[in-house]
Amino acid sequence: MKRRNFLQLLAATGMTAQMPLISSKAHAATAPEKYLILVNAGGGWDPTSICDPKGLNRSYTANSTRHEGSTNSVDLDSNKRIGDIQWSAIPEFVSNDVAVRNRIENQFDQFFQGYGDRMTVINGIDNGTNNHDTGNRVTWSGHEELGYPSITALYAAAVSPTLPMAFISNGGYDFTDSLVARARASSAGFINEISDPNLWYTDSNDQFKLGLNYRDRDGKVDIYKRIQQAQQARIQRQQNNEPLPQRRAQLSQLFGIRNEESNLGELTVQLSNIQQYVTPEGDDPHPAWHWNPTRATSLKSQAQVVAAAFKSNLAASANLNFGGFDTHGDHDSRAYPRLGDLLEGVNYLCEVLKFAGIADKTTIVIGSDFGRTPYYNSGNGKDHWPVTSVMVLHPSDVSTGGKVFGASTTAFRSQTVNRQTGLPDSSGTILEPKHVNIALRQLMGIDSNPVVGKYPLNFTPFNIFS
């Protein structure tokens, strides 16, 4: 009997209240063919400091005396380019410490040189807002009004809504409109606790660490085993005392589901493997996996859990969140180090996906609330600006040659572009988040799904991912 039919049958007999919250392995949903990860740079990042640099353009002398009214405080570097993608050089104003500047430059260069060939950068997107809440919503749903779920929630609902943790969110815009449950799972320690809440052990100083005093790590104390034996005996008595054969069969199926190993057990195995073999620590034999072991630690932890959940067939999509980009003051010294750490975290995410064997099935989308002003304010910071970019990192077996779709002007304003080529076109159209989200729906193969049809974006699409 299919699990869905079984649940319907149980509902008719009033027995579903006893069903476990986590589906068992034997009854788990089919694994999705693709996975989707959204990486949110919270606070409003500056695309001109990463993937749409303007250099020393002196375009805003009337607005700012900083850096002669230029958008950036460092000029363009022709060496920082792969395909059509140009990335920013690192200004001296970032730090007086040359080693710090070199570290950030390496983070930028290694990321784009390593992944640029499978990347699509979408520039010149007009978000139409400089409000954080609206910007988050429109970037990740394609609609500025309330009620539209994020692209990650929509994807999970369309392809694998019955997975136990179909949509994992660590923040950012994660509205689901009740299509799927939103699972919070950013910490490896938290996952280990909920997967085995009956475990108890001590550290080297004999201090209490986790769980209830039911089972120790060495198996010398196992009160929990006696509890399980008592539960089994009670279940057997219930079945023996049930006079109706059909009810006995239903009880047997129900208890069989309840007693099977939870998917969370597989999750802890996968998570343990990732932590052991794709460590961010400095003694790892693969230096590209860690770069700087103490940087972007929260993002790397999120990456571990999400990759393990995908590998365990628990989830189809996820939000990763990394804030700190609201740089109203001291922009260079705050934004560039944060952007470098963002790229380091995404690099680590790619490595754990590769280790899990699903890098060729996973699309990663990196974006933010909006952009920042194309000139510096009196505090050497940058304020809110509606023009932004999105970077899409395609699966590991896809090559784009370093593609850029869309464009902003030298003064960092959205440009009208051709819908097919993405090149500047005076008779073209301004690119907006709704167009990006339509294209992402098409890319992920959910644009014709009935669930997605409830949230229409009825606009002529751009051919972004051809």
Side-chain angles (χ1 to χ4, degrees), residues 149-405:
S150 71
I151 182 66
T152 34
L154 199 58
Y155 179 72
V159 301
S160 297
T162 59
L163 289 178
M165 301 166 66
F167 168 45
I168 296 174
S169 176
N170 296 293
Y173 183 70
D174 56 8
F175 179 68
T176 69
D177 202 26
S178 301
L179 296 176
V180 288
R182 183 173 47 230
R184 304 290 190 189
S186 61
S187 165
F190 172 72
I191 292 296
N192 289 331
E193 282 189 58
I194 63 173
S195 65
D196 195 353
N198 302 296
L199 181 66
W200 175 89
Y201 66 96
T202 61
D203 63 15
S204 57
N205 296 318
D206 202 36
Q207 297 294 310
F208 174 80
K209 295 293 287 185
L210 282 177
L212 302 173
N213 192 4
Y214 282 167
R215 177 171 60 232
D216 66 10
R217 196 173 289 281
D218 297 329
K220 296 177 181 178
V221 177
D222 198 349
I223 302 172
Y224 186 62
K225 184 175 181 179
R226 281 181 275 170
I227 294 174
Q228 287 179 307
Q229 291 171 342
Q231 287 176 332
Q232 291 295 324
R234 178 176 58 83
I235 288 169
Q236 190 62 54
R237 287 196 302 273
Q238 285 181 276
Q239 289 180 277
N240 292 341
N241 293 335
E242 176 54 59
L244 299 177
Q246 186 175 5
R247 290 269 297 179
R248 280 201 304 272
Q250 292 168 2
L251 281 169
S252 179
Q253 286 181 298
L254 171 60
F255 295 141
I257 291 173
R258 294 186 66 185
N259 289 329
E260 286 170 357
E261 184 183 355
S262 167
N263 295 69
L264 284 173
E266 178 67 17
L267 175 56
T268 58
V269 171
Q270 297 298 336
L271 188 54
S272 177
N273 287 339
I274 287 172
Q275 290 173 319
Q276 180 177 356
Y277 295 109
V278 200
T279 170
E281 301 304 322
D283 59 354
D284 192 281
H286 304 281
W289 284 1
H290 52 77
W291 289 354
N292 305 281
T294 61
R295 309 202 67 84
T297 54
S298 67
L299 190 53
K300 291 172 181 176
S301 179
Q302 294 172 47
Q304 290 176 341
V305 174
V306 166
F310 286 173
K311 182 66 174 177
S312 304
N313 193 26
L314 287 169
S317 66
N319 281 12
L320 275 59
N321 193 49
F322 195 64
F325 293 95
D326 202 11
T327 52
H328 290 282
D330 298 319
H331 174 79
D332 285 1
S333 64
R334 295 174 58 202
Y336 285 94
R338 201 64 178 164
L339 286 167
D341 288 353
L342 171 70
L343 298 182
E344 174 150 339
V346 176
N347 168 75
Y348 182 78
L349 169 64
C350 292
E351 291 296 339
V352 295
L353 292 170
K354 180 180 177 181
F355 176 81
I358 52 176
D360 61 342
K361 299 180 180 180
T362 307
T363 299
I364 303 168
V365 186
I366 311 165
S368 189
D369 322 9
F370 38 66
R372 306 207 77 80
T373 50
Y375 50 85
Y376 292 81
N377 60 28
S378 59
N380 215 21
K382 291 187 173 185
D383 302 314
H384 299 180
W385 188 256
V387 183
T388 189
S389 297
V390 165
M391 301 194 300
V392 178
L393 191 55
H394 297 278
S396 59
D397 59 351
V398 173
S399 177
T400 66
K403 179 181 178 180
V404 173
F405 191 99

